[in-house]
Amino acid sequence: MRQARVLNEVELKRVLAVINMGKYSQRNRLALLLSHYAGLRVGEIATLKWSDVNETDGSVKSVFYLDAENTKSNEARAVHLNQILMKEVALGWRSYSLHPNLDDAVIQSQKGKSFSANTLCQLFSRLYASAGLDGATSHSGRRWFITKLAHSGVSPKVIMELAGHKHLGTTQRYIEVNEEMKSQAVALL
């Protein structure tokens, strides 16, 4: 099976620009960035509640925990948020409702219900197609996250744990390598 396309910086900016021009831009932007900046799977994004990512006073957590039943491996794991994603979660919370409820889903459908993993996959497909990005799927953000960390020199063990993988080989399959990266690597010698 062909792997999901890993976006470059220009492509990520392009899909975010398309999202910003569309309906439900804050929700769609947050969903996409949870995939890219936290490496979450669509099923994990679909199950997120505001209480997972926010304290009771509404402030954003820098680390939150996915319950075992909401992960592919059925093992709980910590999710670390960088400053960019913390800002997006805060914006999402503020734009969400005048009377936000911590028990509500972070990513909600037009009807105010949580997305299923399948409908969230469809949303991602539409967003990428609108930006003209063939080969990008709901897994593109996760591959971007792992690839970006790997090429930034982060320890493979740390990446494996952030991704929630049990085996390093699984993590390695996510890492995108292209000709430019190979050229840059040998230029270091």
Side-chain angles (χ1 to χ4, degrees), residues 122-166:
Q122 293 170 19
L123 173 65
F124 275 74
S125 292
R126 285 193 305 273
L127 295 173
Y128 288 130
S130 295
L133 299 172
D134 294 332
T137 73
S138 61
H139 229 53
S140 291
R142 189 164 165 79
R143 288 200 65 220
W144 182 91
F145 173 79
I146 292 169
T147 296
K148 192 87 165 157
L149 292 174
H151 291 291
S152 297
V154 175
S155 162
K157 176 74 171 159
V158 172
I159 298 170
M160 182 181 87
E161 289 194 17
L162 288 171
H165 290 150
K166 292 182 181 179

Side-chain angles (χ1 to χ4, degrees), residues 1 10 20 22 27 34 39 45 63-64 74 81-83 98 109 119 125 146 150 154 159 163 180 184:
M1 183 189 333
V10 171
N20 288 341
R27 175 202 69 189
L34 284 165
I45 296 169
V63 179
F64 68 89
N74 291 317
L81 302 182
N82 67 11
Q83 291 300 310
L98 294 175
S109 70
T119 54
S125 292
I146 292 169
V154 175
I159 298 170
E180 180 183 345
Q184 289 172 353

